[in-house]
Amino acid sequence: MRRGLSTAMAAVLVGGLAVACGDGDDDKGGSDSGPVELTVDVFGEPGYDALYKQYEQSHPNVKIKQRKVSTLDEYKPRIQQWMATGSGAGDVVMLEEGILPLYMQQKAKFLNLFDYGGKNLEKNFLPWKWQAGLTPDGKQLIGLGTDVGPLAMCYRTDLFKKAGLPTDRTEVGKLWPTWDAFLSTGQKFQEKVPGSKWLDGPTAVFRATVLQNAGSGAGYSFFDKSDNLVFDSNPAVKQAFDTSLKFETSKLTSDMSIFTPPWQTALKRDTFATLPCPSWMLGGIEEFSGSAGKGKWDVATTPGGSGYWGGSWLAVPKQTKHAKAAAELAEYLTSPEGQVGAFKAANVFPSSPQAAQDPAVAGAKSAYFNDAPIGQIFGQLVAAVKPVHLGPKNEDVRAAVENVLISVGQGKQKPDQAWTKSVDEAKKAAR
């Protein structure tokens, strides 16, 4: 049974922050003693609905409105417009790891959460997650960490059984110690189940393997740590591109991009059998597969060892009219107790060590995913995560290159020219 953060705990959390802020709140965004409506801008499924209700119960003067879109690609132009024009943004906004570097360059547009009690919160986060929310000089706290995305592989047990493959998650993980082994398993699968593809598309593999390769290598992907474009010279990127292209040229994918409407519809059918699966992806699979997918999906280890994909921070734009109240809400949602609540609602794995060790997380099993011990699986994986530096134009380059990979599957781009085309598109996107 899912259980939520208690009203009493919510009051304790925010009470602590109010003390940290002292009596000068009017100097940091005006009085919030009257009725306040706070808007929270998010994408995907952060698992906050129950937390909002509990917060409202403990703060009768606060009403919370969530604006949610399905994908980061939908979210990105909206927040770009709000921040560029200085109006329209929510009081609290979610910044995913791919767009966080862009807004680090616009730090003047965000509150310094150090001014709202943030200095006391470092112990609540993994060291690298906390550090990534700081400006490079360490003087401004832009965002508080939400989740991290330790990487696994989700698979359809019913389709694996039809193909004569093992369905036990431990045995399944042994099928693919490497991405080449994963590809050869896929070829065997499609010989047995020609009506289904092995993978959803090339984009999830590309995103996963870029970070996996970069984490085990130089620690950066499309841009080096001085934010110079190194797309065409970083072996981690070329290796990830070649891996992804192999699945396209082998006709092992459905040629879809994640979270697009066709991808969402495909999850209700037998369109594909596997999906690179950071912890937050479980919420998307459950949302879009619905009751038809319950018990059919399971979680195994990913090819190539450890990795991660995604994770976000909550920030407060200076354009808010309720700075203190918004900062308090951001702290509440990212507190250890808040992250436990979000995990239980949407399987978003905590960036808080305290939350990760909570029995509700560490001992969690998912009935939807065939009773997989997801707390144990993702808890072991997160310990091996090696963070990767991402440049301000990371998402623009990523999207441009993914379009080239998709076009190969559609027959619009010759495979032997795909890398050259991707280098050209990456350079354009990075300008």
Side-chain angles (χ1 to χ4, degrees), residues 62-228:
V62 175
K63 295 295 180 186
I64 302 171
K65 180 177 73 175
Q66 178 173 273
R67 293 189 300 199
K68 184 177 80 171
V69 295
S70 295
T71 70
L72 177 61
D73 287 341
E74 290 177 83
Y75 182 74
K76 188 175 66 172
R78 297 181 187 212
I79 191 169
Q80 282 178 336
Q81 180 180 358
W82 296 330
M83 299 312 296
T85 60
S87 66
D91 301 283
V92 177
V93 298
M94 180 170 277
L95 300 178
E96 197 261 357
E97 64 166 358
I99 62 174
L100 179 66
L102 174 65
Y103 294 109
M104 279 291 172
Q105 295 186 328
Q106 303 176 30
K107 62 182 182 180
K109 296 180 179 179
F110 294 91
L111 295 188
N112 184 355
L113 296 176
F114 279 148
D115 295 337
Y116 295 83
K119 287 185 182 297
N120 300 322
L121 304 178
E122 182 174 359
K123 62 182 183 302
N124 289 348
F125 301 94
L126 291 165
W128 64 265
K129 189 75 177 184
W130 171 261
Q131 193 66 34
L134 297 171
T135 52
D137 62 7
K139 295 182 178 178
Q140 182 172 345
L141 179 61
I142 298 281
L144 295 170
T146 59
D147 63 314
V148 291
L151 185 66
M153 183 66 72
C154 290
Y155 65 100
R156 282 275 300 270
T157 55
D158 57 329
L159 297 180
F160 270 47
K161 185 176 182 179
K162 190 182 291 187
L165 294 172
T167 58
D168 175 79
R169 63 183 71 92
T170 301
E171 296 303 313
V172 168
K174 292 177 182 176
L175 293 173
W176 48 59
T178 65
W179 285 100
D180 283 342
F182 182 72
L183 186 143
S184 63
T185 305
Q187 291 171 322
K188 295 172 185 174
F189 169 86
Q190 286 195 198
E191 289 175 1
K192 299 289 186 180
V193 190
S196 299
K197 292 292 186 179
W198 182 234
L199 271 167
D200 61 331
T203 60
V205 171
F206 182 63
R207 297 188 202 189
T209 53
V210 164
L211 292 173
Q212 195 177 46
N213 297 340
S216 62
Y220 55 82
S221 58
F222 307 145
F223 297 86
D224 66 17
K225 294 183 180 179
S226 297
D227 291 332
N228 300 305

Side-chain angles (χ1 to χ4, degrees), residues 286-304:
E286 185 169 349
E287 178 180 357
F288 299 118
S289 294
S291 58
K294 185 175 182 179
K296 292 181 178 178
W297 287 94
D298 208 322
V299 185
T301 54
T302 193

Side-chain angles (χ1 to χ4, degrees), residues 12 29 94 138 149 199 212-213 248 255 260 284 333 353 370 392 419 425:
V12 168
M94 180 170 277
L199 271 167
Q212 195 177 46
N213 297 340
E248 283 294 86
D255 214 35
T260 56
L333 294 171
N370 202 25
W419 173 248
E425 294 300 317

Side-chain angles (χ1 to χ4, degrees), residues 153-372:
M153 183 66 72
C154 290
Y155 65 100
R156 282 275 300 270
T157 55
D158 57 329
L159 297 180
F160 270 47
K161 185 176 182 179
K162 190 182 291 187
L165 294 172
T167 58
D168 175 79
R169 63 183 71 92
T170 301
E171 296 303 313
V172 168
K174 292 177 182 176
L175 293 173
W176 48 59
T178 65
W179 285 100
D180 283 342
F182 182 72
L183 186 143
S184 63
T185 305
Q187 291 171 322
K188 295 172 185 174
F189 169 86
Q190 286 195 198
E191 289 175 1
K192 299 289 186 180
V193 190
S196 299
K197 292 292 186 179
W198 182 234
L199 271 167
D200 61 331
T203 60
V205 171
F206 182 63
R207 297 188 202 189
T209 53
V210 164
L211 292 173
Q212 195 177 46
N213 297 340
S216 62
Y220 55 82
S221 58
F222 307 145
F223 297 86
D224 66 17
K225 294 183 180 179
S226 297
D227 291 332
N228 300 305
L229 181 68
V230 291
F231 182 90
D232 60 347
S233 60
N234 186 351
V237 176
K238 183 62 162 63
Q239 184 181 356
F241 184 89
D242 289 345
T243 297
S244 306
L245 188 62
K246 282 182 186 176
F247 288 98
E248 283 294 86
T249 56
S250 301
K251 306 295 184 186
L252 290 179
T253 89
S254 297
D255 214 35
M256 294 176 176
S257 293
I258 61 167
F259 288 109
T260 56
W263 182 90
Q264 295 172 10
T265 300
L267 279 172
K268 294 182 173 65
R269 301 170 180 167
D270 296 339
T271 308
F272 52 81
T274 66
L275 176 62
C277 199
S279 50
W280 49 262
M281 186 70 83
L282 272 60
I285 292 173
E286 185 169 349
E287 178 180 357
F288 299 118
S289 294
S291 58
K294 185 175 182 179
K296 292 181 178 178
W297 287 94
D298 208 322
V299 185
T301 54
T302 193
S306 64
Y308 81 107
W309 170 13
S312 297
W313 289 255
L314 293 184
V316 180
K318 279 188 177 176
Q319 57 187 266
T320 180
K321 296 179 180 177
H322 308 291
K324 175 176 174 290
E328 289 176 350
L329 179 59
E331 179 184 349
Y332 167 76
L333 294 171
T334 58
S335 68
E337 293 80 5
Q339 292 196 40
V340 171
F343 174 81
K344 289 188 289 188
N347 297 315
V348 285
F349 200 83
S351 62
S352 161
Q354 299 96 316
Q357 293 168 8
D358 188 291
V361 176
K365 293 185 177 181
S366 172
Y368 193 92
F369 288 85
N370 202 25
D371 286 327

Side-chain angles (χ1 to χ4, degrees), residues 403-421:
N403 287 337
V404 176
L405 286 167
I406 290 286
S407 69
V408 172
Q410 294 172 339
K412 299 176 182 177
Q413 176 65 54
K414 292 181 178 179
D416 61 354
Q417 298 174 2
W419 173 248
T420 300
K421 176 67 172 177

Side-chain angles (χ1 to χ4, degrees), residues 372-391:
I374 56 174
Q376 177 185 353
I377 292 172
F378 289 111
Q380 291 173 344
L381 293 170
V382 78
V385 167
K386 297 177 181 177
V388 173
H389 174 81
L390 303 175

